[in-house]
Amino acid sequence: MSADTKVLGTNAKKRLVACRLLHQAGNLIEFWGEMGDQAVDSEFARECLARWLEVLPGDDWDTRLDPVATTPAAETGKP
């Protein structure tokens, strides 16, 4: 470690690791068709990851883990 390297406390390190994990989970959801298991649909995978990862420390979140917004027309099936 160089003299210029900032030493982080345990909580700061946990937040950084959580941030990177959330980003990678977002990547997995975004590319589920190529990286995921075809026996599991991407929405189910997103729901599981979001539920499991929501308790991670820090304020970071990857919006790709949010539910897909639906319009009222999509919910009713009418335009």
Side-chain angles (χ1 to χ4, degrees):
M1 196 179 317
S2 70
D4 295 334
T5 303
K6 183 178 178 183
V7 177
L8 298 175
T10 300
N11 288 339
K13 290 177 185 177
K14 287 179 182 179
R15 285 190 296 274
L16 287 173
V17 171
C19 178
R20 299 311 183 270
L21 179 58
L22 287 164
H23 181 74
Q24 290 303 319
N27 288 342
L28 179 59
I29 293 305
E30 183 175 352
F31 299 104
W32 186 260
E34 299 151 26
M35 297 168 45
D37 191 314
Q38 298 305 312
V40 178
D41 66 85
S42 62
E43 180 59 18
F44 181 81
R46 187 211 53 79
E47 289 173 3
C48 289
L49 287 169
R51 184 175 48 250
W52 297 336
L53 300 176
E54 69 184 350
V55 297
L56 289 174
D59 296 329
D60 296 302
W61 187 251
D62 193 306
T63 57
R64 295 174 291 181
L65 296 173
D66 289 341
V68 176
T70 56
T71 61
E75 292 175 359
T76 63
K78 299 177 184 175

PDB file of all heavy atoms in Angstrom, residues 20-32 35 62 64-65:
ATOM      1  N   ARG A  20     -20.540  -2.618  -5.225  1.00  0.00           N
ATOM      2  CA  ARG A  20     -20.074  -3.438  -6.356  1.00  0.00           C
ATOM      3  C   ARG A  20     -20.976  -4.652  -6.572  1.00  0.00           C
ATOM      4  O   ARG A  20     -21.269  -5.030  -7.707  1.00  0.00           O
ATOM      5  CB  ARG A  20     -18.631  -3.906  -6.141  1.00  0.00           C
ATOM      6  CG  ARG A  20     -17.589  -2.825  -6.019  1.00  0.00           C
ATOM      7  CD  ARG A  20     -17.665  -1.771  -7.125  1.00  0.00           C
ATOM      8  NE  ARG A  20     -16.611  -0.788  -7.021  1.00  0.00           N
ATOM      9  CZ  ARG A  20     -16.694   0.354  -6.329  1.00  0.00           C
ATOM     10  NH1 ARG A  20     -17.779   0.650  -5.658  1.00  0.00           N
ATOM     11  NH2 ARG A  20     -15.685   1.206  -6.301  1.00  0.00           N
ATOM     12  N   LEU A  21     -21.433  -5.256  -5.480  1.00  0.00           N
ATOM     13  CA  LEU A  21     -22.327  -6.407  -5.589  1.00  0.00           C
ATOM     14  C   LEU A  21     -23.653  -6.005  -6.228  1.00  0.00           C
ATOM     15  O   LEU A  21     -24.170  -6.702  -7.105  1.00  0.00           O
ATOM     16  CB  LEU A  21     -22.565  -7.027  -4.214  1.00  0.00           C
ATOM     17  CG  LEU A  21     -23.495  -8.232  -4.167  1.00  0.00           C
ATOM     18  CD1 LEU A  21     -22.987  -9.359  -5.056  1.00  0.00           C
ATOM     19  CD2 LEU A  21     -23.664  -8.707  -2.736  1.00  0.00           C
ATOM     20  N   LEU A  22     -24.208  -4.874  -5.832  1.00  0.00           N
ATOM     21  CA  LEU A  22     -25.457  -4.398  -6.421  1.00  0.00           C
ATOM     22  C   LEU A  22     -25.295  -4.129  -7.917  1.00  0.00           C
ATOM     23  O   LEU A  22     -26.174  -4.458  -8.721  1.00  0.00           O
ATOM     24  CB  LEU A  22     -25.940  -3.140  -5.706  1.00  0.00           C
ATOM     25  CG  LEU A  22     -26.506  -3.382  -4.311  1.00  0.00           C
ATOM     26  CD1 LEU A  22     -26.594  -2.075  -3.537  1.00  0.00           C
ATOM     27  CD2 LEU A  22     -27.864  -4.055  -4.406  1.00  0.00           C
ATOM     28  N   HIS A  23     -24.170  -3.548  -8.281  1.00  0.00           N
ATOM     29  CA  HIS A  23     -23.920  -3.268  -9.694  1.00  0.00           C
ATOM     30  C   HIS A  23     -23.841  -4.571 -10.495  1.00  0.00           C
ATOM     31  O   HIS A  23     -24.412  -4.680 -11.582  1.00  0.00           O
ATOM     32  CB  HIS A  23     -22.621  -2.461  -9.851  1.00  0.00           C
ATOM     33  CG  HIS A  23     -22.316  -2.134 -11.266  1.00  0.00           C
ATOM     34  ND1 HIS A  23     -23.008  -1.184 -11.973  1.00  0.00           N
ATOM     35  CD2 HIS A  23     -21.418  -2.664 -12.123  1.00  0.00           C
ATOM     36  CE1 HIS A  23     -22.539  -1.141 -13.212  1.00  0.00           C
ATOM     37  NE2 HIS A  23     -21.564  -2.023 -13.324  1.00  0.00           N
ATOM     38  N   GLN A  24     -23.164  -5.562  -9.956  1.00  0.00           N
ATOM     39  CA  GLN A  24     -23.054  -6.845 -10.654  1.00  0.00           C
ATOM     40  C   GLN A  24     -24.408  -7.552 -10.722  1.00  0.00           C
ATOM     41  O   GLN A  24     -24.719  -8.206 -11.716  1.00  0.00           O
ATOM     42  CB  GLN A  24     -22.001  -7.735  -9.991  1.00  0.00           C
ATOM     43  CG  GLN A  24     -20.587  -7.243 -10.203  1.00  0.00           C
ATOM     44  CD  GLN A  24     -20.242  -7.100 -11.676  1.00  0.00           C
ATOM     45  OE1 GLN A  24     -20.590  -7.932 -12.505  1.00  0.00           O
ATOM     46  NE2 GLN A  24     -19.550  -6.019 -12.008  1.00  0.00           N
ATOM     47  N   ALA A  25     -25.219  -7.412  -9.685  1.00  0.00           N
ATOM     48  CA  ALA A  25     -26.564  -7.994  -9.717  1.00  0.00           C
ATOM     49  C   ALA A  25     -27.390  -7.317 -10.807  1.00  0.00           C
ATOM     50  O   ALA A  25     -28.152  -7.977 -11.520  1.00  0.00           O
ATOM     51  CB  ALA A  25     -27.237  -7.852  -8.356  1.00  0.00           C
ATOM     52  N   GLY A  26     -27.237  -6.001 -10.948  1.00  0.00           N
ATOM     53  CA  GLY A  26     -27.915  -5.287 -12.028  1.00  0.00           C
ATOM     54  C   GLY A  26     -27.469  -5.782 -13.387  1.00  0.00           C
ATOM     55  O   GLY A  26     -28.290  -5.949 -14.305  1.00  0.00           O
ATOM     56  N   ASN A  27     -26.178  -6.017 -13.550  1.00  0.00           N
ATOM     57  CA  ASN A  27     -25.665  -6.573 -14.807  1.00  0.00           C
ATOM     58  C   ASN A  27     -26.284  -7.936 -15.089  1.00  0.00           C
ATOM     59  O   ASN A  27     -26.654  -8.241 -16.229  1.00  0.00           O
ATOM     60  CB  ASN A  27     -24.141  -6.718 -14.765  1.00  0.00           C
ATOM     61  CG  ASN A  27     -23.424  -5.395 -14.844  1.00  0.00           C
ATOM     62  OD1 ASN A  27     -23.976  -4.385 -15.253  1.00  0.00           O
ATOM     63  ND2 ASN A  27     -22.168  -5.396 -14.419  1.00  0.00           N
ATOM     64  N   LEU A  28     -26.380  -8.764 -14.069  1.00  0.00           N
ATOM     65  CA  LEU A  28     -26.952 -10.096 -14.238  1.00  0.00           C
ATOM     66  C   LEU A  28     -28.395 -10.011 -14.707  1.00  0.00           C
ATOM     67  O   LEU A  28     -28.797 -10.725 -15.635  1.00  0.00           O
ATOM     68  CB  LEU A  28     -26.862 -10.885 -12.931  1.00  0.00           C
ATOM     69  CG  LEU A  28     -27.439 -12.298 -12.936  1.00  0.00           C
ATOM     70  CD1 LEU A  28     -26.750 -13.166 -13.986  1.00  0.00           C
ATOM     71  CD2 LEU A  28     -27.325 -12.923 -11.559  1.00  0.00           C
ATOM     72  N   ILE A  29     -29.173  -9.117 -14.118  1.00  0.00           N
ATOM     73  CA  ILE A  29     -30.570  -8.965 -14.521  1.00  0.00           C
ATOM     74  C   ILE A  29     -30.665  -8.410 -15.937  1.00  0.00           C
ATOM     75  O   ILE A  29     -31.460  -8.877 -16.748  1.00  0.00           O
ATOM     76  CB  ILE A  29     -31.330  -8.077 -13.516  1.00  0.00           C
ATOM     77  CG1 ILE A  29     -31.442  -8.789 -12.159  1.00  0.00           C
ATOM     78  CG2 ILE A  29     -32.700  -7.682 -14.038  1.00  0.00           C
ATOM     79  CD1 ILE A  29     -32.075 -10.163 -12.217  1.00  0.00           C
ATOM     80  N   GLU A  30     -29.846  -7.418 -16.243  1.00  0.00           N
ATOM     81  CA  GLU A  30     -29.888  -6.816 -17.574  1.00  0.00           C
ATOM     82  C   GLU A  30     -29.581  -7.839 -18.665  1.00  0.00           C
ATOM     83  O   GLU A  30     -30.183  -7.822 -19.735  1.00  0.00           O
ATOM     84  CB  GLU A  30     -28.892  -5.662 -17.657  1.00  0.00           C
ATOM     85  CG  GLU A  30     -28.925  -4.951 -18.987  1.00  0.00           C
ATOM     86  CD  GLU A  30     -28.028  -3.729 -19.036  1.00  0.00           C
ATOM     87  OE1 GLU A  30     -27.480  -3.318 -18.003  1.00  0.00           O
ATOM     88  OE2 GLU A  30     -27.876  -3.195 -20.152  1.00  0.00           O
ATOM     89  N   PHE A  31     -28.658  -8.748 -18.399  1.00  0.00           N
ATOM     90  CA  PHE A  31     -28.244  -9.730 -19.390  1.00  0.00           C
ATOM     91  C   PHE A  31     -28.685 -11.143 -19.013  1.00  0.00           C
ATOM     92  O   PHE A  31     -28.011 -12.119 -19.337  1.00  0.00           O
ATOM     93  CB  PHE A  31     -26.722  -9.666 -19.574  1.00  0.00           C
ATOM     94  CG  PHE A  31     -26.264  -8.317 -20.057  1.00  0.00           C
ATOM     95  CD1 PHE A  31     -25.655  -7.433 -19.191  1.00  0.00           C
ATOM     96  CD2 PHE A  31     -26.472  -7.941 -21.374  1.00  0.00           C
ATOM     97  CE1 PHE A  31     -25.239  -6.187 -19.628  1.00  0.00           C
ATOM     98  CE2 PHE A  31     -26.073  -6.700 -21.831  1.00  0.00           C
ATOM     99  CZ  PHE A  31     -25.448  -5.806 -20.957  1.00  0.00           C
ATOM    100  N   TRP A  32     -29.807 -11.262 -18.322  1.00  0.00           N
ATOM    101  CA  TRP A  32     -30.277 -12.558 -17.847  1.00  0.00           C
ATOM    102  C   TRP A  32     -30.423 -13.565 -18.991  1.00  0.00           C
ATOM    103  O   TRP A  32     -30.110 -14.743 -18.844  1.00  0.00           O
ATOM    104  CB  TRP A  32     -31.604 -12.428 -17.101  1.00  0.00           C
ATOM    105  CG  TRP A  32     -32.018 -13.716 -16.482  1.00  0.00           C
ATOM    106  CD1 TRP A  32     -32.921 -14.607 -16.967  1.00  0.00           C
ATOM    107  CD2 TRP A  32     -31.496 -14.289 -15.285  1.00  0.00           C
ATOM    108  NE1 TRP A  32     -33.012 -15.701 -16.138  1.00  0.00           N
ATOM    109  CE2 TRP A  32     -32.139 -15.520 -15.091  1.00  0.00           C
ATOM    110  CE3 TRP A  32     -30.550 -13.878 -14.342  1.00  0.00           C
ATOM    111  CZ2 TRP A  32     -31.875 -16.343 -14.007  1.00  0.00           C
ATOM    112  CZ3 TRP A  32     -30.286 -14.697 -13.263  1.00  0.00           C
ATOM    113  CH2 TRP A  32     -30.943 -15.914 -13.100  1.00  0.00           C
ATOM    114  N   MET A  35     -26.805 -14.694 -19.507  1.00  0.00           N
ATOM    115  CA  MET A  35     -26.006 -15.133 -18.355  1.00  0.00           C
ATOM    116  C   MET A  35     -26.783 -16.004 -17.371  1.00  0.00           C
ATOM    117  O   MET A  35     -26.185 -16.726 -16.585  1.00  0.00           O
ATOM    118  CB  MET A  35     -25.469 -13.906 -17.597  1.00  0.00           C
ATOM    119  CG  MET A  35     -24.534 -13.061 -18.430  1.00  0.00           C
ATOM    120  SD  MET A  35     -24.142 -11.433 -17.740  1.00  0.00           S
ATOM    121  CE  MET A  35     -23.812 -11.710 -16.044  1.00  0.00           C
ATOM    122  N   ASP A  62     -29.040  -0.332  -7.433  1.00  0.00           N
ATOM    123  CA  ASP A  62     -29.028  -0.385  -8.882  1.00  0.00           C
ATOM    124  C   ASP A  62     -30.481  -0.447  -9.337  1.00  0.00           C
ATOM    125  O   ASP A  62     -31.203  -1.384  -8.988  1.00  0.00           O
ATOM    126  CB  ASP A  62     -28.253  -1.608  -9.371  1.00  0.00           C
ATOM    127  CG  ASP A  62     -27.939  -1.537 -10.847  1.00  0.00           C
ATOM    128  OD1 ASP A  62     -28.896  -1.347 -11.642  1.00  0.00           O
ATOM    129  OD2 ASP A  62     -26.758  -1.648 -11.212  1.00  0.00           O
ATOM    130  N   ARG A  64     -31.810  -1.252 -11.928  1.00  0.00           N
ATOM    131  CA  ARG A  64     -32.191  -2.425 -12.722  1.00  0.00           C
ATOM    132  C   ARG A  64     -32.797  -3.504 -11.849  1.00  0.00           C
ATOM    133  O   ARG A  64     -33.433  -4.437 -12.345  1.00  0.00           O
ATOM    134  CB  ARG A  64     -30.983  -2.965 -13.485  1.00  0.00           C
ATOM    135  CG  ARG A  64     -30.472  -1.973 -14.535  1.00  0.00           C
ATOM    136  CD  ARG A  64     -29.208  -2.444 -15.185  1.00  0.00           C
ATOM    137  NE  ARG A  64     -28.109  -2.403 -14.218  1.00  0.00           N
ATOM    138  CZ  ARG A  64     -26.862  -2.734 -14.495  1.00  0.00           C
ATOM    139  NH1 ARG A  64     -26.542  -3.154 -15.701  1.00  0.00           N
ATOM    140  NH2 ARG A  64     -25.917  -2.664 -13.577  1.00  0.00           N
ATOM    141  N   LEU A  65     -32.664  -3.357 -10.522  1.00  0.00           N
ATOM    142  CA  LEU A  65     -33.284  -4.306  -9.597  1.00  0.00           C
ATOM    143  C   LEU A  65     -34.691  -3.874  -9.188  1.00  0.00           C
ATOM    144  O   LEU A  65     -35.387  -4.604  -8.497  1.00  0.00           O
ATOM    145  CB  LEU A  65     -32.415  -4.464  -8.346  1.00  0.00           C
ATOM    146  CG  LEU A  65     -31.035  -5.065  -8.594  1.00  0.00           C
ATOM    147  CD1 LEU A  65     -30.197  -5.004  -7.321  1.00  0.00           C
ATOM    148  CD2 LEU A  65     -31.142  -6.492  -9.090  1.00  0.00           C
TER     149      LEU A  65
END
